[in-house]
Amino acid sequence: PAPSPGPDLSLCEQEPIRIPGAIQPHGWLLVLDAQTLAVVARGANWSPAQALQAQRELPLAALAALTPDTAPVMVGDIALEAQRLSATAHRTAQHVIVEFEPAALREAGEAPIYSLSRIFLPRLQQAADVAELAALAAEEMKRLTGFGRCLVYRFDEAGHGQVLAEQIDEGYDSYSGHHFPASDIPQQARELYVLNQFRLIPDAHYTPVPLVCEAAGLKPEAIDLSQAQLRSVSPVHLEYMRHMGTRASMSVSIVIDGRLWGLISCHDHGARHLPGAVRRACEHMGQLLALQIQAKEANQRVSERLELRKITLELVSHLSEGDGTLARLVREPAPLLKLAHATGAAVVLDDQVWTTGEVPGHDDIQALAQWISGLGREIYDSRSVAHVHAPGGPVRGPAGVLAISISQVHRHLVMWFRPEVVQTVTWAGDPRKAPMATDGRIHPRRSFASWVEHVSGQSEPWTESQRLAVAELRQALIGIVLRRAEELAAVAS
Ligand code: BLA
């Protein structure tokens, strides 16, 4: 489903979210020169003297040993003005970035990670499918963090998110099954979330703390905060959270094969901070979940492919036993339809058409076949062919078409058809109203109330396994047709 286009969203893509030149105020940050480990910048919530004193307390040998482009690691506690602070550090191309928070926040110890592996992982491993994995993750996330709303959502091919599972407290609106438009999370933010898989915004009402540079020639906007936990987040996103009534948010990336598959996203109406051990457990949970989803999806693909390959072999053996003409395919309708999960199919050979099941009229099939042949593709698929096939007017009847082209010379195709399935898509807020740009700036939409869109004219999508299966059938058919031609030539000579 695709919401209608709103105002120019390229503005969202231009926001320099990795180099905001500011941090959130719930901690302190030092930027050190990667070579000398001298302070080159600090968050303005420390004075120069405090920054120097904190730097002196740091285990410099540990900092010098950091390798670039890794997530922050704990480097120990320091004492500053009678307060114990715990420090984490990571290295960027130019700098070592050290972040501090009150050590008291660590009181939960490392316990959460143990319960995760002892209780949660075994349950995860028993889940039957992705929906069940998501439900378990939402439940565990709620238990770990106590946030008022915990969601697991997945992105579709167009980047829209769909909520797969939810755990909410009383007083929270349900987003279960809702869709969120792709424009809620710009592409550059998605790229960042593949690298940096955990974000916590304890209080969206915060005032950013600017970075102050102490080294000549260094500008706050030149300091890469991609991996910094305290990175100040986009003001557009803070506005989004306020519109949603979310004061604290946390999100954990679900990354599969280097791609942002989805997010675990948590909201709270109040400000909320979490101990480091809980944050690490959440991050770890995102990784466990990603591995399990990846395994489930891979298994599913393998068994689906095996099943479809069996059907392909069945079809091919029928053909090679018979006279070898492709028209025979429609005389075994069950496997032919099952191969593509279709309700109708046709074989087209120049002016001739053979069909089975629910199909358009022969003239429409011919027009469509001619148009598809003209594209010069081996495989063609569409879930709303009426929208793309303009010449001769839209095709009546089926919405979805999958076709393989057997010959480059002849109009020689096998086509499968699927009916329209009217879908209702529930969006969290009307995506057509997002975003607004009345003052020249982009704003996120104001309402997240359910808005139902009816999508018509589309069939169920053709899956990757189905496309692969018909591609395999195509190869086999080409072989059969060639052999048949040779046999005929031999008989003739
Ligand atoms: C970031 N937008 C985000 C993030 C989420 C969402 C989860 C990641 C930040 C975080 O972890 O908190 C959106 N939040 C959601 C969605 C749900 C949710 C879909 O809870 C579903 C339940 N946002 C807009 C528009 C723009 C925009 C129009 O609505 C365009 C400028 C921008 N969103 C935007 C930006 C970020 C963002 C720039 C990056 C924030 C950052 O990391 O600095």
Side-chain angles (χ1 to χ4, degrees):
S4 330
D8 184 8
L9 284 168
S10 61
L11 287 175
C12 295
E13 294 300 338
Q14 284 154 20
E15 205 184 331
I17 62 171
R18 294 176 185 230
I19 46 165
I23 58 170
Q24 298 181 57
H26 60 276
W28 301 269
L29 182 139
L30 291 183
V31 182
L32 311 180
D33 182 276
Q35 257 67 53
T36 64
L37 298 180
V39 177
V40 293
R42 63 186 156 83
N45 50 352
W46 262 347
S47 67
Q50 285 171 312
L52 262 186
Q53 197 192 333
Q55 190 266 2
R56 276 195 214 110
E57 294 262 334
L58 285 168
L60 296 183
L63 299 186
L66 292 169
T67 49
D69 298 323
T70 49
V73 291
M74 291 220 258
V75 291
D77 288 2
I78 66 158
L80 189 80
E81 294 165 0
Q83 205 187 3
R84 290 204 71 71
L85 302 178
S86 88
T88 53
H90 68 280
R91 204 182 139 167
T92 67
Q94 268 126 36
H95 302 121
V96 168
I97 293 183
V98 192
E99 298 172 271
F100 302 85
E101 65 182 29
L105 257 179
R106 214 181 35 205
E107 90 282 349
E110 287 295 337
I113 212 130
Y114 291 131
S115 78
L116 208 60
S117 51
R118 272 208 342 270
I119 301 162
F120 176 65
L121 185 56
R123 291 184 69 196
L124 213 52
Q125 282 165 329
Q126 279 162 22
D129 50 25
V130 171
E132 214 171 291
L133 288 174
L136 284 170
E139 193 184 311
E140 181 69 4
M141 207 59 157
K142 179 93 183 61
R143 196 187 63 77
L144 268 175
T145 66
F147 271 69
R149 182 193 293 120
C150 293
L151 307 171
V152 176
Y153 62 92
R154 171 174 60 195
F155 298 117
D156 65 18
E157 314 90 77
H160 306 309
Q162 182 183 12
V163 178
L164 302 180
E166 171 187 78
Q167 281 282 318
I168 48 175
D169 281 340
E170 218 170 290
Y172 282 79
D173 295 331
S174 171
Y175 293 139
S176 183
H178 284 47
H179 288 73
F180 287 79
S183 53
D184 283 8
I185 315 177
Q187 189 52 37
Q188 103 273 25
R190 290 171 199 243
E191 281 159 21
L192 177 57
Y193 302 161
V194 169
L195 290 181
N196 178 346
Q197 305 186 353
F198 179 88
R199 291 153 298 280
L200 176 63
I201 305 169
D203 187 353
H205 295 220
Y206 75 89
T207 308
V209 176
L211 293 180
V212 184
C213 293
E214 299 188 340
L218 182 63
K219 291 204 161 54
E221 308 78 49
I223 298 168
D224 180 4
L225 295 182
S226 300
Q227 293 281 10
Q229 306 162 80
L230 292 171
R231 178 178 63 87
S232 191
V233 298
S234 152
V236 184
H237 183 56
L238 293 175
E239 193 179 351
Y240 180 102
M241 286 175 64
R242 290 193 294 265
H243 290 175
M244 201 181 223
T246 297
R247 184 136 183 193
S249 92
M250 190 190 83
S251 77
V252 182
S253 308
I254 307 172
V255 177
I256 297 182
D257 295 330
R259 204 174 52 84
L260 193 64
W261 182 96
L263 291 173
I264 309 174
S265 171
C266 304
H267 306 142
D268 205 279
H269 291 161
R272 179 176 275 274
H273 200 9
L274 291 174
V278 175
R279 299 198 303 261
R280 278 184 294 281
C282 293
E283 195 176 352
H284 193 57
M285 206 184 102
Q287 289 163 350
L288 287 179
L289 181 64
L291 283 173
Q292 294 294 325
I293 291 173
Q294 183 177 28
K296 279 266 157 2
E297 289 190 336
N299 277 343
Q300 212 175 327
R301 267 197 304 274
V302 167
S303 55
E304 204 179 319
R305 277 194 202 149
L306 276 180
E307 162 85 17
L308 293 180
R309 178 159 298 160
K310 260 193 254 162
I311 301 175
T312 309
L313 288 177
E314 195 183 333
L315 281 169
V316 170
S317 71
H318 284 317
L319 274 186
S320 42
E321 281 162 15
D323 57 5
T325 55
L326 299 195
R328 240 189 101 89
L329 278 173
V330 298
R331 279 184 255 146
E332 309 284 351
L336 183 66
L337 296 179
K338 206 166 156 206
L339 186 69
H341 217 278
T343 49
V347 173
V348 176
L349 183 56
D350 294 322
D351 296 331
Q352 292 170 282
V353 178
W354 297 271
T355 65
T356 182
E358 293 167 39
V359 293
H362 283 204
D363 289 350
D364 278 334
I365 294 179
Q366 279 293 8
L368 196 54
Q370 189 157 6
W371 179 73
I372 292 173
S373 295
L375 298 175
R377 305 221 311 242
E378 296 177 353
I379 301 186
Y380 170 83
D381 76 282
S382 167
R383 52 190 299 204
S384 60
V385 75
H387 295 215
V388 287
H389 171 246
V395 179
R396 287 170 298 252
V401 174
L402 175 65
I404 51 176
S405 187
I406 311 293
S407 162
Q408 290 181 338
V409 188
H410 297 279
R411 192 172 349 115
H412 203 163
L413 298 100
V414 183
M415 301 162 87
W416 289 264
F417 302 97
R418 272 181 190 175
E420 169 190 37
V421 198
V422 177
Q423 272 187 309
T424 53
V425 182
T426 307
W427 296 93
D430 182 349
R432 296 171 312 175
K433 289 192 180 147
M436 302 167 292
T438 43
D439 55 0
R441 287 180 36 223
I442 294 269
H443 296 278
R445 64 188 179 286
R446 289 197 170 270
S447 167
F448 291 85
S450 304
W451 180 82
V452 176
E453 181 187 22
H454 298 277
V455 182
S456 58
Q458 286 198 331
S459 72
E460 293 283 355
W462 305 95
T463 68
E464 188 56 27
S465 308
Q466 289 157 354
R467 279 194 290 262
L468 283 172
V470 301
E472 225 169 82
L473 178 66
R474 177 178 173 275
Q475 286 303 333
L477 294 182
I478 288 174
I480 291 171
V481 169
L482 283 179
R483 207 184 59 209
R484 181 81 188 137
E486 280 167 11
E487 283 168 6
L488 286 177
V491 169
S493 66

